Amino acid sequence: MSADADHLLIERVKRGEQKAFELLVIKYQRKIERLIGRMVRDPDLIQDIAQETFIRAYRALPQFRGDSAFYTWLYRIAVNTAKKSLVELKRDPLVTGSALTSLEDEDETSRVENELSDGETPEAVLASKEIANTVNAAIEALSDDLRQAITLREIEGLSYEEIAEVMNCPIGTVRSRIFRAREAIAERLRPLLDTPDGKRW
């Protein structure tokens, strides 16, 4: 389903077709849950926050003018809903290993298969797991703004312009946050990759 398909569904929702909104929920639910899962500690909260995101989106849909892509608008609602929930619960937004593992079953980057493929040694698999764990720990240690920016860019695949819209900040700030996040992750990875100082990877 393309952005055009989203637009058609939104028009149908505005005409009172609730079924059309259900199709939008089905399309974006996994992505929204994955995004929220990288902001909150408690995996039990993820579905509640996702549900609240879609409720808010449904209520606000009559005001959606289509200036941006629907998913950019929806991501912004999800980020704001997660932040609001965390403030209410007086918790810091922080990703945990368990939240990552439970949500990343469809992420190619995080999956280390149990079976060894041709040429893969147990040592190589162990090294891959160690690198994945180090990256996760590095992301977990980032500040909220840096973690959001790198997640939206590297995991959700949003453009710099879309991230600026979701995070409600200038594009230069987005570039700076992504650069700093990558540097922090690279710093953690250097000992594992034997990378000389001054080189990122």
Side-chain angles (χ1 to χ4, degrees), residues 40-57:
V40 301
R41 284 178 181 272
D42 187 347
D44 297 335
L45 286 174
I46 295 165
Q47 283 190 328
D48 291 346
I49 296 171
Q51 191 175 7
E52 179 67 19
T53 297
F54 285 112
I55 290 168
R56 287 181 175 200

Side-chain angles (χ1 to χ4, degrees), residues 3-197:
D4 288 343
D6 285 356
H7 181 70
L8 292 172
L9 287 171
I10 289 160
E11 288 309 308
R12 285 170 55 193
V13 177
K14 287 180 177 179
R15 290 198 301 266
E17 289 184 47
Q18 200 169 343
K19 207 82 177 150
F21 190 74
E22 287 171 21
L23 292 172
L24 288 167
V25 173
I26 290 165
K27 180 177 178 183
Y28 290 109
Q29 189 166 8
R30 288 284 293 174
K31 284 188 173 185
I32 292 298
E33 286 179 355
R34 217 170 50 212
L35 175 67
I36 294 164
R38 288 184 167 81
M39 291 181 66
V40 301
R41 284 178 181 272
D42 187 347
D44 297 335
L45 286 174
I46 295 165
Q47 283 190 328
D48 291 346
I49 296 171
Q51 191 175 7
E52 179 67 19
T53 297
F54 285 112
I55 290 168
R56 287 181 175 200
Y58 183 74
R59 286 178 183 154
L61 209 54
Q63 284 80 53
F64 178 69
R65 295 186 309 278
D67 298 337
S68 62
F70 173 72
Y71 69 84
T72 309
W73 180 77
L74 187 61
Y75 275 29
R76 188 167 180 180
I77 293 173
V79 167
N80 291 337
T81 305
K83 280 182 173 177
K84 184 174 176 286
S85 298
L86 292 164
V87 167
E88 286 168 1
L89 293 160
K90 295 184 173 55
R91 297 182 185 180
D92 295 326
L94 187 63
V95 72
T96 59
S98 63
L100 278 167
T101 5
S102 65
L103 289 169
E104 287 189 343
D105 50 335
E106 67 179 22
D107 284 2
E108 313 80 35
T109 50
S110 66
R111 196 188 295 144
V112 178
E113 303 294 353
N114 293 330
E115 304 83 27
L116 299 179
S117 62
D118 292 342
E120 264 191 332
T121 62
E123 291 79 15
V125 171
L126 192 64
S128 296
K129 280 186 178 173
E130 195 177 349
I131 289 167
N133 289 338
T134 303
V135 169
N136 287 343
I139 292 172
E140 189 173 322
L142 293 172
S143 69
D144 184 27
D145 287 344
L146 297 191
R147 186 171 54 254
Q148 266 181 45
I150 198 77
T151 297
L152 290 168
R153 177 68 184 161
E154 301 297 349
I155 296 163
E156 299 302 331
L158 269 63
S159 68
Y160 286 97
E161 291 80 5
E162 288 167 335
I163 296 167
E165 194 173 332
V166 168
M167 297 190 74
N168 200 20
C169 64
I171 198 163
T173 306
V174 170
R175 290 184 191 282
S176 162
R177 286 173 182 172
I178 289 170
F179 176 80
R180 282 158 51 210
R182 285 176 176 158
E183 284 297 302
I185 294 166
E187 194 62 42
R188 293 267 194 124
L189 283 174
R190 275 192 195 107
L192 295 179
L193 302 176
D194 296 326
T195 314
D197 284 344

